[in-house]
Amino acid sequence: MINWSFSIRDSELKVGTNIRSVQDDGLKRRIVVAARDNWVMYFSRLFPVCGEIDNKVEVLSISHRDIKLLKTTKATGMSPEHYKVLQSYSYVDVLSVKIVDESTLEFMVKNESLILFTEKASQVQALVNFFLVELRKDSNYVRAVKSYITDEKSLLNFRKGDVIKLLHMDSLEPGWQFGSIGGRSGLFPTDHAQLTVPPDYSNMKNATRRKSMISIEKKVISTGGSETIKSRISSSSSFTSFGGSTYLMTEFGMKYFREPLATSEKCIQLISLISYKYIFFFFFLQIPIQESLIYFTDKELSELGAKNFNDLMRFMGDQQSQKEEPERDFVQNMLRLCKEKESLQDEICCQLIKQVTDNPSRESCIRGWRALYIFLGFYNLSINLRPYVLKYLQEIVSNPLHNYQEVAKATEENLHRTMQFGGRRNLPSTLELDAIMKGRSSRRIAIQLPGELKHTARIKPFSIANDVVLEICSTLGIQDIEETKEFSIFAEKKKGRSMRPLRLEEYLFDFLLDDNSVNLFFHRIMWSEPFHFYNDLYVDVHYNQMLPTYLKGNFILPNNINEMEEMIATLAACQHKSGGAGTNPSMQEIKEYLPKTGATKLDVQSIQQQIVHQLNTMQQLKPIEAKIRFLTTGSSMSLFGYNIFTVKKTSNPQIPNPCLVAINQQHLIVIDKDTKDQLMIIPLKEIVTMCTLRPSETSKLPGVQVNYGSAGISRTFSFELKEARELCHTIAMILDTVSSHPSM
């Protein structure tokens, strides 16, 4: 029996660990629908295949929606090994599939032939043909199998691969059909086309997930150097000027909108000499619609799109509402709909743009623009729509006389963020939405720096962790972008019981709560860059982070007792001097300056004498200079630059408990807590996957399981500790950073 264990986080359908725990039939239906609409591999049959020379395809995926060519992608960080989509073909594109021999298939796809080798050739052909037959039933569309070019005005010109909509015409002669394409209609020979699956906008889109978009957008927007979002925006106009297209919203509408047959005749009466379609595409409407703007074959999508448009009109005040509703209700419903129905994201973006274009009501426009600003901070657009929206926003931003230039600029920044990082993952709270709708665009948050230091940042609804990291690094004097990547923002909740670093691209408001129960901390997690001591704050931050680690005894002191006591005395004198004390320290103060040394017993009297001697040599030293000496001296100790955690128990019975686990850019090391002997080492590059473990019946602490190995040898190592989540995410962040910067 299969035990389903999943959580559809992107649709906010929290299921838990067992499907049997879900009693609500309505929730079960929402889970299935959300999975069907959003999961790329939903109910797919997978067949091992290989392609022709230089083809990386390993698996053929066949579902009710399309066929996909896949390859296995090696895991990085906490991500498990998964499939990467190399190419996707909707059934609109598939003309036929035939068996060349018992292990060779030939797909006729658009204008190309695709050859795949598989031992399951007959099963693949049967399954693909089954879907083609079912989807072509009652279709009134054909695809051109060869081009037809003519000067006769009554005939329809098209090229091989074009999809033509068949139209009814009385008294057609045998061998001829009547159809339309791109706003043109005419007769054409029957033998030039074959029946095809009705084209659906969701099939025409190059649908991609939030994280997979990042690699695509790097070709368009440079992420190197110390550029900010704003500077990238100013240099990205080339994105909307390739291919000779003007990228007007009208052009998109002409290509993808349905024929506006379901609107009231009141709209038709507005037409004078201007094309009906042009008014329908980029002028706001004063009347409700009965179908979605974009053509969908799925009736449910069309109805949901039309309902959202009519709700939008009431929200903006363009239609009278029957009851008083908070503004946030529409925005929450819109965002939730787009999570559960990703295919509607382009549709809803078009609706918002349509209703703020040439809308004479200022109040209506303000509401519409704020909704568009929020929408583009949560959802990316398809490759089809994106250049049109970019061009639309850029034209407004470049026009100083436009009434909504500033909000358009903020909206464009959101679009660029979602293109680069993906949108926010969690829906906004009621309080946050109310604040945005009232025009309050930021919230003051105190970021805790090491020690008692704080930095107050103005966090916007779509600020990412990297924005704050760069801001704080700037106050430390750090300008080099590579050096800033060694720092991270940590989110702490439940009063320290849960803490983890945030990836640089994660949105802060996905973690902050209205009750201020989540605290943010700034820490350094990698130490490949040397100390630079740009200013006093830089020194204080590093001193305050390094000192507690040293006093816990986590650094490895010299083995020679005399060298050890000399170093301890020097570091103690630096601590005393950094506090501004002018007299020699008392015995109680000296004890507070000493690290825990485990089994090694120190001669405190000898250390006291050496401290006094050291202080005499430091008389001219300022407190900030004493901190610098502490940092430079302490950085020579072993384990400096490691993130160190105390582990209660490990899966290896040969390792004494408790012990230490230390992580840097190269290794995960297990160390004896008292002797500091190295007990185990795992190169980070050999880590394949990681996961956190829930507390078991025999242990009250969570744990971490690491799967690692090389050359086909797989090993597993697990350990229990309070900071399991923090450790796991720290390793993942280091792996991601190192993999993107191999020189680190």
Side-chain angles (χ1 to χ4, degrees), residues 217 220-221 233 236-237 239-240 247 249 353 381 385-397 412-413 415-416 419:
E217 301 310 332
V220 180
I221 302 174
I233 290 173
S236 65
S237 57
F239 183 82
T240 60
Y247 288 108
M249 290 301 299
I353 290 176
L381 303 175
L385 179 59
R386 193 182 308 130
Y388 296 93
V389 176
L390 276 171
K391 179 67 176 293
Y392 176 84
L393 294 172
Q394 287 169 358
E395 287 188 341
I396 296 175
V397 171
E412 185 190 14
E413 289 178 11
L415 176 54
H416 279 278
M419 287 164 57

mmCIF file of all heavy atoms in Angstrom, residues 217 220-221 233 236-237 239-240 247 249 353 381 385-397 412-413 415-416 419:
data_model
loop_
_atom_site.group_PDB
_atom_site.id
_atom_site.type_symbol
_atom_site.label_atom_id
_atom_site.label_comp_id
_atom_site.label_asym_id
_atom_site.label_seq_id
_atom_site.Cartn_x
_atom_site.Cartn_y
_atom_site.Cartn_z
ATOM 1 N N GLU A 217 17.032 33.599 -17.469
ATOM 2 C CA GLU A 217 17.092 35.050 -17.388
ATOM 3 C C GLU A 217 18.516 35.565 -17.295
ATOM 4 O O GLU A 217 18.778 36.713 -17.608
ATOM 5 C CB GLU A 217 16.276 35.545 -16.183
ATOM 6 C CG GLU A 217 14.823 35.145 -16.227
ATOM 7 C CD GLU A 217 14.166 35.471 -17.540
ATOM 8 O OE1 GLU A 217 14.595 36.418 -18.223
ATOM 9 O OE2 GLU A 217 13.226 34.759 -17.908
ATOM 10 N N VAL A 220 19.647 37.224 -20.231
ATOM 11 C CA VAL A 220 19.031 38.503 -20.540
ATOM 12 C C VAL A 220 19.503 39.597 -19.606
ATOM 13 O O VAL A 220 19.789 40.704 -20.011
ATOM 14 C CB VAL A 220 17.488 38.377 -20.436
ATOM 15 C CG1 VAL A 220 16.839 39.697 -20.750
ATOM 16 C CG2 VAL A 220 16.995 37.300 -21.376
ATOM 17 N N ILE A 221 19.620 39.261 -18.318
ATOM 18 C CA ILE A 221 19.978 40.251 -17.313
ATOM 19 C C ILE A 221 21.249 39.819 -16.627
ATOM 20 O O ILE A 221 21.315 38.748 -16.053
ATOM 21 C CB ILE A 221 18.866 40.411 -16.269
ATOM 22 C CG1 ILE A 221 17.572 40.820 -16.963
ATOM 23 C CG2 ILE A 221 19.230 41.437 -15.234
ATOM 24 C CD1 ILE A 221 16.408 40.848 -16.041
ATOM 25 N N ILE A 233 17.757 47.030 -14.490
ATOM 26 C CA ILE A 233 16.573 47.417 -15.265
ATOM 27 C C ILE A 233 16.954 48.376 -16.381
ATOM 28 O O ILE A 233 16.515 48.246 -17.514
ATOM 29 C CB ILE A 233 15.513 48.051 -14.341
ATOM 30 C CG1 ILE A 233 14.911 46.986 -13.441
ATOM 31 C CG2 ILE A 233 14.426 48.743 -15.136
ATOM 32 C CD1 ILE A 233 13.995 47.536 -12.388
ATOM 33 N N SER A 236 18.397 46.654 -19.463
ATOM 34 C CA SER A 236 17.715 45.470 -19.983
ATOM 35 C C SER A 236 16.769 45.768 -21.137
ATOM 36 O O SER A 236 16.026 44.913 -21.554
ATOM 37 C CB SER A 236 16.926 44.788 -18.856
ATOM 38 O OG SER A 236 15.895 45.642 -18.422
ATOM 39 N N SER A 237 16.797 46.995 -21.670
ATOM 40 C CA SER A 237 15.839 47.326 -22.713
ATOM 41 C C SER A 237 16.050 46.507 -23.973
ATOM 42 O O SER A 237 15.138 46.329 -24.762
ATOM 43 C CB SER A 237 15.928 48.820 -23.048
ATOM 44 O OG SER A 237 17.245 49.149 -23.443
ATOM 45 N N PHE A 239 16.198 43.511 -24.200
ATOM 46 C CA PHE A 239 15.368 42.306 -24.112
ATOM 47 C C PHE A 239 14.105 42.448 -24.939
ATOM 48 O O PHE A 239 13.592 41.477 -25.472
ATOM 49 C CB PHE A 239 15.016 42.047 -22.641
ATOM 50 C CG PHE A 239 14.218 40.790 -22.446
ATOM 51 C CD1 PHE A 239 14.843 39.560 -22.389
ATOM 52 C CD2 PHE A 239 12.834 40.832 -22.316
ATOM 53 C CE1 PHE A 239 14.121 38.403 -22.210
ATOM 54 C CE2 PHE A 239 12.106 39.673 -22.135
ATOM 55 C CZ PHE A 239 12.761 38.463 -22.074
ATOM 56 N N THR A 240 13.586 43.681 -25.048
ATOM 57 C CA THR A 240 12.311 43.876 -25.748
ATOM 58 C C THR A 240 12.504 44.387 -27.171
ATOM 59 O O THR A 240 11.566 44.865 -27.767
ATOM 60 C CB THR A 240 11.442 44.880 -24.972
ATOM 61 O OG1 THR A 240 12.149 46.118 -24.880
ATOM 62 C CG2 THR A 240 11.114 44.371 -23.608
ATOM 63 N N TYR A 247 6.551 44.565 -29.928
ATOM 64 C CA TYR A 247 6.086 44.091 -28.626
ATOM 65 C C TYR A 247 5.039 45.017 -28.003
ATOM 66 O O TYR A 247 5.101 45.336 -26.827
ATOM 67 C CB TYR A 247 7.261 43.871 -27.669
ATOM 68 C CG TYR A 247 8.057 42.658 -28.047
ATOM 69 C CD1 TYR A 247 9.309 42.778 -28.605
ATOM 70 C CD2 TYR A 247 7.526 41.383 -27.882
ATOM 71 C CE1 TYR A 247 10.026 41.653 -28.998
ATOM 72 C CE2 TYR A 247 8.229 40.259 -28.262
ATOM 73 C CZ TYR A 247 9.491 40.402 -28.816
ATOM 74 O OH TYR A 247 10.180 39.297 -29.191
ATOM 75 N N MET A 249 1.231 45.547 -26.637
ATOM 76 C CA MET A 249 0.251 44.650 -26.050
ATOM 77 C C MET A 249 -0.804 44.247 -27.075
ATOM 78 O O MET A 249 -1.325 43.131 -27.050
ATOM 79 C CB MET A 249 -0.415 45.309 -24.835
ATOM 80 C CG MET A 249 0.493 45.466 -23.622
ATOM 81 S SD MET A 249 1.171 43.896 -23.003
ATOM 82 C CE MET A 249 -0.310 43.009 -22.554
ATOM 83 N N ILE A 353 -3.495 44.925 -16.857
ATOM 84 C CA ILE A 353 -2.950 45.932 -17.774
ATOM 85 C C ILE A 353 -4.061 46.561 -18.599
ATOM 86 O O ILE A 353 -4.099 47.775 -18.817
ATOM 87 C CB ILE A 353 -1.872 45.294 -18.680
ATOM 88 C CG1 ILE A 353 -0.629 44.962 -17.847
ATOM 89 C CG2 ILE A 353 -1.520 46.214 -19.839
ATOM 90 C CD1 ILE A 353 0.446 44.241 -18.611
ATOM 91 N N LEU A 381 5.916 35.648 -15.567
ATOM 92 C CA LEU A 381 5.092 35.544 -16.763
ATOM 93 C C LEU A 381 5.720 34.548 -17.724
ATOM 94 O O LEU A 381 6.913 34.259 -17.645
ATOM 95 C CB LEU A 381 4.966 36.919 -17.442
ATOM 96 C CG LEU A 381 4.406 38.041 -16.569
ATOM 97 C CD1 LEU A 381 4.458 39.362 -17.325
ATOM 98 C CD2 LEU A 381 2.980 37.732 -16.124
ATOM 99 N N LEU A 385 4.425 36.227 -22.992
ATOM 100 C CA LEU A 385 3.893 37.526 -22.566
ATOM 101 C C LEU A 385 4.965 38.468 -22.045
ATOM 102 O O LEU A 385 4.829 39.691 -22.155
ATOM 103 C CB LEU A 385 2.821 37.299 -21.486
ATOM 104 C CG LEU A 385 2.163 38.552 -20.892
ATOM 105 C CD1 LEU A 385 1.468 39.377 -21.980
ATOM 106 C CD2 LEU A 385 1.156 38.156 -19.810
ATOM 107 N N ARG A 386 6.039 37.937 -21.483
ATOM 108 C CA ARG A 386 7.000 38.760 -20.757
ATOM 109 C C ARG A 386 7.547 39.953 -21.544
ATOM 110 O O ARG A 386 7.560 41.084 -21.030
ATOM 111 C CB ARG A 386 8.138 37.881 -20.244
ATOM 112 C CG ARG A 386 9.021 38.563 -19.215
ATOM 113 C CD ARG A 386 10.154 37.654 -18.794
ATOM 114 N NE ARG A 386 9.630 36.369 -18.382
ATOM 115 C CZ ARG A 386 10.094 35.216 -18.821
ATOM 116 N NH1 ARG A 386 11.079 35.195 -19.689
ATOM 117 N NH2 ARG A 386 9.593 34.080 -18.396
ATOM 118 N N PRO A 387 8.014 39.772 -22.778
ATOM 119 C CA PRO A 387 8.574 40.942 -23.475
ATOM 120 C C PRO A 387 7.551 42.038 -23.737
ATOM 121 O O PRO A 387 7.900 43.219 -23.754
ATOM 122 C CB PRO A 387 9.111 40.356 -24.792
ATOM 123 C CG PRO A 387 8.413 39.053 -24.957
ATOM 124 C CD PRO A 387 8.142 38.545 -23.583
ATOM 125 N N TYR A 388 6.283 41.665 -23.902
ATOM 126 C CA TYR A 388 5.234 42.668 -24.130
ATOM 127 C C TYR A 388 4.992 43.505 -22.866
ATOM 128 O O TYR A 388 4.835 44.725 -22.941
ATOM 129 C CB TYR A 388 3.938 41.977 -24.553
ATOM 130 C CG TYR A 388 4.037 41.246 -25.871
ATOM 131 C CD1 TYR A 388 4.368 39.899 -25.917
ATOM 132 C CD2 TYR A 388 3.794 41.907 -27.079
ATOM 133 C CE1 TYR A 388 4.468 39.219 -27.115
ATOM 134 C CE2 TYR A 388 3.886 41.239 -28.291
ATOM 135 C CZ TYR A 388 4.228 39.893 -28.303
ATOM 136 O OH TYR A 388 4.325 39.217 -29.503
ATOM 137 N N VAL A 389 4.970 42.841 -21.718
ATOM 138 C CA VAL A 389 4.744 43.569 -20.464
ATOM 139 C C VAL A 389 5.951 44.435 -20.133
ATOM 140 O O VAL A 389 5.808 45.578 -19.668
ATOM 141 C CB VAL A 389 4.438 42.576 -19.319
ATOM 142 C CG1 VAL A 389 4.291 43.319 -17.996
ATOM 143 C CG2 VAL A 389 3.162 41.799 -19.626
ATOM 144 N N LEU A 390 7.161 43.915 -20.381
ATOM 145 C CA LEU A 390 8.363 44.721 -20.164
ATOM 146 C C LEU A 390 8.323 45.988 -21.009
ATOM 147 O O LEU A 390 8.603 47.090 -20.524
ATOM 148 C CB LEU A 390 9.609 43.906 -20.492
ATOM 149 C CG LEU A 390 10.144 42.983 -19.393
ATOM 150 C CD1 LEU A 390 11.233 42.084 -19.951
ATOM 151 C CD2 LEU A 390 10.678 43.785 -18.228
ATOM 152 N N LYS A 391 7.968 45.834 -22.289
ATOM 153 C CA LYS A 391 7.900 47.003 -23.179
ATOM 154 C C LYS A 391 6.828 47.982 -22.694
ATOM 155 O O LYS A 391 7.050 49.203 -22.682
ATOM 156 C CB LYS A 391 7.600 46.530 -24.596
ATOM 157 C CG LYS A 391 7.466 47.661 -25.627
ATOM 158 C CD LYS A 391 8.802 48.357 -25.850
ATOM 159 C CE LYS A 391 8.691 49.408 -26.952
ATOM 160 N NZ LYS A 391 8.446 48.814 -28.271
ATOM 161 N N TYR A 392 5.693 47.455 -22.289
ATOM 162 C CA TYR A 392 4.598 48.294 -21.798
ATOM 163 C C TYR A 392 5.056 49.127 -20.598
ATOM 164 O O TYR A 392 4.828 50.344 -20.548
ATOM 165 C CB TYR A 392 3.428 47.402 -21.426
ATOM 166 C CG TYR A 392 2.239 48.111 -20.809
ATOM 167 C CD1 TYR A 392 1.264 48.709 -21.609
ATOM 168 C CD2 TYR A 392 2.085 48.175 -19.427
ATOM 169 C CE1 TYR A 392 0.173 49.352 -21.042
ATOM 170 C CE2 TYR A 392 1.001 48.813 -18.859
ATOM 171 C CZ TYR A 392 0.050 49.407 -19.667
ATOM 172 O OH TYR A 392 -1.036 50.038 -19.089
ATOM 173 N N LEU A 393 5.708 48.474 -19.636
ATOM 174 C CA LEU A 393 6.155 49.167 -18.426
ATOM 175 C C LEU A 393 7.291 50.137 -18.727
ATOM 176 O O LEU A 393 7.323 51.257 -18.191
ATOM 177 C CB LEU A 393 6.585 48.150 -17.368
ATOM 178 C CG LEU A 393 5.473 47.257 -16.807
ATOM 179 C CD1 LEU A 393 6.064 46.169 -15.910
ATOM 180 C CD2 LEU A 393 4.448 48.072 -16.026
ATOM 181 N N GLN A 394 8.225 49.733 -19.577
ATOM 182 C CA GLN A 394 9.362 50.597 -19.889
ATOM 183 C C GLN A 394 8.932 51.884 -20.578
ATOM 184 O O GLN A 394 9.509 52.954 -20.334
ATOM 185 C CB GLN A 394 10.369 49.827 -20.752
ATOM 186 C CG GLN A 394 11.139 48.777 -19.978
ATOM 187 C CD GLN A 394 11.928 47.841 -20.866
ATOM 188 O OE1 GLN A 394 11.882 47.938 -22.096
ATOM 189 N NE2 GLN A 394 12.644 46.909 -20.256
ATOM 190 N N GLU A 395 7.928 51.804 -21.434
ATOM 191 C CA GLU A 395 7.448 53.011 -22.104
ATOM 192 C C GLU A 395 6.842 53.992 -21.103
ATOM 193 O O GLU A 395 7.017 55.205 -21.227
ATOM 194 C CB GLU A 395 6.429 52.638 -23.183
ATOM 195 C CG GLU A 395 7.051 51.989 -24.408
ATOM 196 C CD GLU A 395 6.062 51.802 -25.544
ATOM 197 O OE1 GLU A 395 4.838 51.833 -25.264
ATOM 198 O OE2 GLU A 395 6.499 51.615 -26.689
ATOM 199 N N ILE A 396 6.131 53.466 -20.098
ATOM 200 C CA ILE A 396 5.555 54.349 -19.080
ATOM 201 C C ILE A 396 6.648 54.929 -18.200
ATOM 202 O O ILE A 396 6.644 56.130 -17.878
ATOM 203 C CB ILE A 396 4.519 53.575 -18.239
ATOM 204 C CG1 ILE A 396 3.349 53.130 -19.116
ATOM 205 C CG2 ILE A 396 4.028 54.428 -17.069
ATOM 206 C CD1 ILE A 396 2.338 52.260 -18.406
ATOM 207 N N VAL A 397 7.612 54.099 -17.800
ATOM 208 C CA VAL A 397 8.708 54.562 -16.936
ATOM 209 C C VAL A 397 9.523 55.653 -17.625
ATOM 210 O O VAL A 397 9.993 56.602 -16.981
ATOM 211 C CB VAL A 397 9.604 53.364 -16.538
ATOM 212 C CG1 VAL A 397 10.859 53.844 -15.837
ATOM 213 C CG2 VAL A 397 8.840 52.408 -15.638
ATOM 214 N N GLU A 412 7.846 47.412 -12.548
ATOM 215 C CA GLU A 412 8.870 46.857 -13.429
ATOM 216 C C GLU A 412 9.982 46.194 -12.609
ATOM 217 O O GLU A 412 10.485 45.123 -12.965
ATOM 218 C CB GLU A 412 9.457 47.949 -14.317
ATOM 219 C CG GLU A 412 10.435 47.422 -15.351
ATOM 220 C CD GLU A 412 11.189 48.535 -16.058
ATOM 221 O OE1 GLU A 412 11.149 49.690 -15.580
ATOM 222 O OE2 GLU A 412 11.843 48.243 -17.069
ATOM 223 N N GLU A 413 10.360 46.810 -11.496
ATOM 224 C CA GLU A 413 11.374 46.210 -10.620
ATOM 225 C C GLU A 413 10.895 44.849 -10.111
ATOM 226 O O GLU A 413 11.671 43.889 -10.038
ATOM 227 C CB GLU A 413 11.676 47.138 -9.448
ATOM 228 C CG GLU A 413 12.438 48.393 -9.831
ATOM 229 C CD GLU A 413 12.683 49.302 -8.644
ATOM 230 O OE1 GLU A 413 12.445 48.855 -7.500
ATOM 231 O OE2 GLU A 413 13.112 50.452 -8.843
ATOM 232 N N LEU A 415 8.833 42.808 -11.616
ATOM 233 C CA LEU A 415 8.887 41.855 -12.720
ATOM 234 C C LEU A 415 10.308 41.345 -12.919
ATOM 235 O O LEU A 415 10.533 40.149 -13.118
ATOM 236 C CB LEU A 415 8.360 42.496 -14.004
ATOM 237 C CG LEU A 415 8.436 41.632 -15.270
ATOM 238 C CD1 LEU A 415 7.763 40.287 -15.065
ATOM 239 C CD2 LEU A 415 7.810 42.378 -16.451
ATOM 240 N N HIS A 416 11.285 42.251 -12.845
ATOM 241 C CA HIS A 416 12.676 41.825 -12.992
ATOM 242 C C HIS A 416 13.098 40.901 -11.855
ATOM 243 O O HIS A 416 13.864 39.955 -12.069
ATOM 244 C CB HIS A 416 13.589 43.045 -13.057
ATOM 245 C CG HIS A 416 13.646 43.681 -14.421
ATOM 246 N ND1 HIS A 416 14.448 43.200 -15.423
ATOM 247 C CD2 HIS A 416 12.977 44.734 -14.937
ATOM 248 C CE1 HIS A 416 14.286 43.947 -16.504
ATOM 249 N NE2 HIS A 416 13.389 44.879 -16.236
ATOM 250 N N MET A 419 11.640 37.510 -12.550
ATOM 251 C CA MET A 419 12.375 36.900 -13.649
ATOM 252 C C MET A 419 13.681 36.294 -13.160
ATOM 253 O O MET A 419 14.088 35.214 -13.595
ATOM 254 C CB MET A 419 12.667 37.944 -14.734
ATOM 255 C CG MET A 419 11.461 38.365 -15.556
ATOM 256 S SD MET A 419 11.747 39.888 -16.494
ATOM 257 C CE MET A 419 13.187 39.458 -17.450
#
